[in-house]
Amino acid sequence: MTSISIRAARAEDADAILHCLAIAFEPVREQYTAAGYADTVLTAETVRQRLASMALFVAESDGRIVGTIGGRVKSPGHGHVRGMAVLPEAQGSGAAGLLLRAVEDELRDRNCSRVTLNTTAPLQRAIRFYEKNGYRRTGRVSDFFGMELYEYEKTLSPGGGRQF
C-alpha cells in the first residue's frame, strides 16, 4: 500500500463508502443484532443522508477508497463522530489516524471543543484505537437496537491544523 490521502467525500463515493463499511464490519456481523448491523453498514439511501447531513471523509490509496469517517455538530460546542471504517488491508497503515484527525479538525473548525463517539463491545480493536487517541469512556451506556452502546468523549484542544 502506498501513501494515504484524506479528502472530503463526494456523492460519487457512496458505493465505495458502503463497501468499506460492509467489509470492515463483516467480522463482527454475528455479534450485532440485524437492525444494529444494518444501521452500522448503511444502505444506498442512508449513505446519501449522511453525505447530506454530516462531514464525511474518505481515505484513498492508489486511487481506491480504503476508509471512511463522518462527523457532525450535535449541539453548540459538541461534535459527534460516526461511521469509521478502514478496509482490512489498510489497517495499520495510518489511515485510521488520518481519518480521525480530519474529522476532529473539521469539528474544531465548527467551534466544537469536545467530541463524542459511540461504540459497541465487539469492537475491541476500535476501542483501543480511540483510547490511544485520547477518547475516554463517559460511563453513558444506551441501547443500540438491542445492544449496549458505549459513549466515549474527547476534549479538542484549540488549534490543531489540518494535516491533509
Side-chain angles (χ1 to χ4, degrees), residues 2-164:
T2 60
S3 67
I4 304 288
S5 62
I6 306 298
R7 65 169 174 79
R10 301 182 290 256
E12 58 267 23
D13 298 326
D15 287 342
I17 291 169
L18 290 172
H19 176 76
C20 281
L21 291 164
I23 297 299
F25 283 90
E26 181 61 31
V28 295
R29 183 180 196 153
E30 295 302 316
Q31 297 170 340
Y32 272 66
T33 63
Y37 186 77
D39 187 73
T40 300
V41 299
L42 304 180
T43 64
E45 176 60 28
T46 55
V47 76
R48 282 193 298 276
Q49 290 170 1
R50 283 214 187 152
L51 281 160
S53 66
M54 302 176 98
L56 257 63
F57 295 92
V58 293
E60 282 186 316
S61 178
D62 297 324
R64 183 170 165 250
I65 293 175
V66 297
T68 185
I69 195 168
R72 68 178 180 87
V73 176
K74 191 170 181 175
S75 61
H78 174 196
H80 188 72
V81 173
R82 237 188 129 183
M84 179 154 190
V86 176
L87 293 176
E89 63 266 24
Q91 292 175 5
S93 69
L98 292 170
L99 284 163
L100 188 60
R101 202 166 312 124
V103 78
E104 288 175 353
D105 286 347
E106 176 70 22
L107 293 169
R108 187 181 292 108
D109 288 350
R110 293 183 184 197
N111 299 313
C112 293
S113 58
R114 75 181 187 100
V115 63
T116 56
L117 59 83
N118 297 308
T119 191
T120 58
L123 302 178
Q124 289 301 306
R125 184 174 180 182
I127 290 170
R128 288 189 302 276
F129 168 78
Y130 293 133
E131 289 174 342
K132 180 181 166 195
N133 283 278
Y135 286 81
R136 298 292 169 249
R137 197 165 167 175
T138 66
R140 290 186 198 97
V141 180
S142 56
D143 177 74
F144 180 67
F145 301 99
M147 300 176 66
E148 289 186 332
L149 191 67
Y150 304 99
E151 183 183 69
Y152 283 74
E153 180 178 52
K154 178 179 180 177
T155 299
L156 295 177
S157 57
R162 294 194 179 263
Q163 305 285 319
F164 56 100

